[in-house]
Amino acid sequence: MSRKRIALACAVVVVGVGSVVIPVAANAGEEDGLSASCRVADQATAWWASGEVSLANKGDRPVRDWTAEFDVSQGQATIDNPWAYELRQDGRHVTVKPIGDRADVAAGGTRAVKVGINPAGKGIPKISGCKVNGASGNGTGTAVPADSGSFVKDHTAVHLMWKPPAGGAEAVRYEVFQDGKQIKTVKDTMTDIERLAPATRYAFKVRAVRADGRTTGFSKDIVLTTLAAPGQDKAKPVIPADLEASASGPFQASLRWHAATDDVAVTGYRIYRNGTKVQEADGKATSATVSGLTPSTAYRFKVTAVDASGKESDPTREAPVTTAAAPDGNGGTGAPGDFAATTATKQDGTVTQHYLNLTWSVPQGVGQVTTYQVHLNGKPAQTFMWGTADPVLPVPTGKASREVLVGAHPGTAYTVKIRARLGDGTWGAFSRELTVKTGG
């Protein structure tokens, strides 16, 4: 069964009236065929991630009143369709509910709910505890095994350990894969993998098999490199040569170096900024991009190489770089300028819906800006994205505008501000904050 993809861009869904007979929607508790799975998109970063809650209805009636729940490891979640869904976050726990009859899950059908997650640079977010109407999620979402401290034993063996997926009591066995090929099935949540080659990188993954034969999705790859054979790796790697650093915009720097060598193999590189390790690179890499920097700021970078036995080379010479200023008219902060907000109304049947009409100037000199996040009363409320959806929305380069539905709430005051996701993937500063009041 295919899933309908809901783009991050704002859209309006219009349901026409025809001769089709539509079954009456069931309420929560009347329909036991509803299940949920959650996931974080593969393109997630420590600064922005897209999540998806997928609902599947195996019953013979649509389901109207449902509540999906999940936990985020870090960050603030926002909903991308606030006219159809209500999102609330309490600490790390997130609940999503439909508004009225705008998000029924059709009989035998599916519904995908898109959410945005802003981890504020604290790491790539994870979703756990996915469930709907109190039932744990199933299917191939994020209810999957997770690494819980796997390690290398010696030059020919590794020890894999993982956590059961959400609803793990249902898991009766686990399938273990090595470099994409299934190698064993076990009942426990740990196992040894032996007869491996020394000083070699391996990628393992695990999936659970439930009592009814269904399998979960795969865990993320558990990547381990066996130690060098005894007496094989005697020296630490040679220092990477000719490190160069250059500013690639106000918020990031590009590093390049010549590959290091080792008597066995170089398995990775460590990147240091002002003396502190900030990220790692694969053993085959000879370049890296460091993001999250401050405009018009001097930095010093150095790189070391690491071999299969964990030996680290001496560092390269330090490569200095100063990030560029951001000529956006807001002190290099990437904030939208000339921000303005007015109110408007539209009729939705007999209900008067209130909107905020927002306009602003696109930040300049910070790369292409396709995504903006609106905050109402100090909290994330909606994310806009250009360059996606069908038809594709042209990316604004000068002035931009959008409307935000705030609902049937006359005479209500809102504080509103907006920020842009800059070309390097980081969030710029907020626009000025305005206070507006709906009519009525």
Side-chain angles (χ1 to χ4, degrees), residues 253-327:
S254 296
L255 308 182
R256 293 184 179 276
W257 61 86
H258 289 159
T261 58
D262 184 66
D263 55 345
V264 176
V266 172
T267 59
Y269 293 92
R270 295 172 182 170
I271 298 167
Y272 293 80
R273 183 184 69 204
N274 296 345
T276 301
K277 188 179 75 171
V278 291
Q279 64 190 63
E280 297 184 353
D282 186 83
K284 297 181 180 180
T286 56
S287 64
T289 299
V290 181
S291 300
L293 306 182
T294 302
S296 304
T297 303
Y299 295 94
R300 307 182 316 277
F301 292 96
K302 56 185 179 183
V303 176
T304 63
V306 181
D307 66 15
S309 64
K311 296 185 180 70
E312 185 175 11
S313 75
D314 292 330
T316 62
R317 60 172 178 78
E318 287 191 325
V321 65
T322 299
T323 52

Side-chain angles (χ1 to χ4, degrees), residues 119-354:
K122 297 180 180 179
I124 296 177
K126 299 178 181 179
I127 292 179
S128 60
C130 182
K131 59 185 179 180
V132 61
N133 293 345
S136 296
N138 51 38
T140 57
T142 55
V144 298
D147 183 27
S148 64
S150 301
F151 60 89
V152 175
K153 295 183 67 175
D154 54 35
H155 60 289
T156 63
V158 300
H159 183 68
L160 303 181
M161 299 189 295
W162 57 89
K163 298 176 183 178
E170 300 177 11
V172 296
R173 62 184 182 275
Y174 297 90
E175 297 174 342
V176 182
F177 289 71
Q178 174 184 316
D179 295 328
K181 181 179 179 181
Q182 184 177 349
I183 56 172
K184 62 167 57 178
T185 299
V186 298
K187 293 184 178 180
D188 206 350
T189 56
M190 64 179 69
T191 188
D192 287 334
I193 309 297
E194 301 175 326
R195 298 181 181 179
L196 302 175
T200 303
R201 179 181 182 274
Y202 293 93
F204 303 95
K205 56 187 176 182
V206 181
R207 68 181 179 185
V209 182
R210 303 185 190 276
D212 60 3
R214 292 180 301 147
T215 58
T216 67
F218 285 107
S219 67
K220 289 187 177 181
D221 281 353
I222 304 171
V223 179
L224 298 171
T225 300
T226 52
L227 302 178
Q232 183 180 8
D233 192 349
K234 300 180 179 180
K236 62 185 179 183
V238 175
I239 301 172
D242 301 326
L243 174 65
E244 297 179 352
S246 60
S248 50
F251 305 97
Q252 61 184 20
S254 296
L255 308 182
R256 293 184 179 276
W257 61 86
H258 289 159
T261 58
D262 184 66
D263 55 345
V264 176
V266 172
T267 59
Y269 293 92
R270 295 172 182 170
I271 298 167
Y272 293 80
R273 183 184 69 204
N274 296 345
T276 301
K277 188 179 75 171
V278 291
Q279 64 190 63
E280 297 184 353
D282 186 83
K284 297 181 180 180
T286 56
S287 64
T289 299
V290 181
S291 300
L293 306 182
T294 302
S296 304
T297 303
Y299 295 94
R300 307 182 316 277
F301 292 96
K302 56 185 179 183
V303 176
T304 63
V306 181
D307 66 15
S309 64
K311 296 185 180 70
E312 185 175 11
S313 75
D314 292 330
T316 62
R317 60 172 178 78
E318 287 191 325
V321 65
T322 299
T323 52
D328 59 5
N330 289 282
T333 62
D338 303 322
F339 183 56
T342 59
T343 62
T345 60
K346 294 182 182 179
Q347 288 299 125
D348 184 3
T350 60
V351 178
T352 300
Q353 299 284 9
H354 293 263

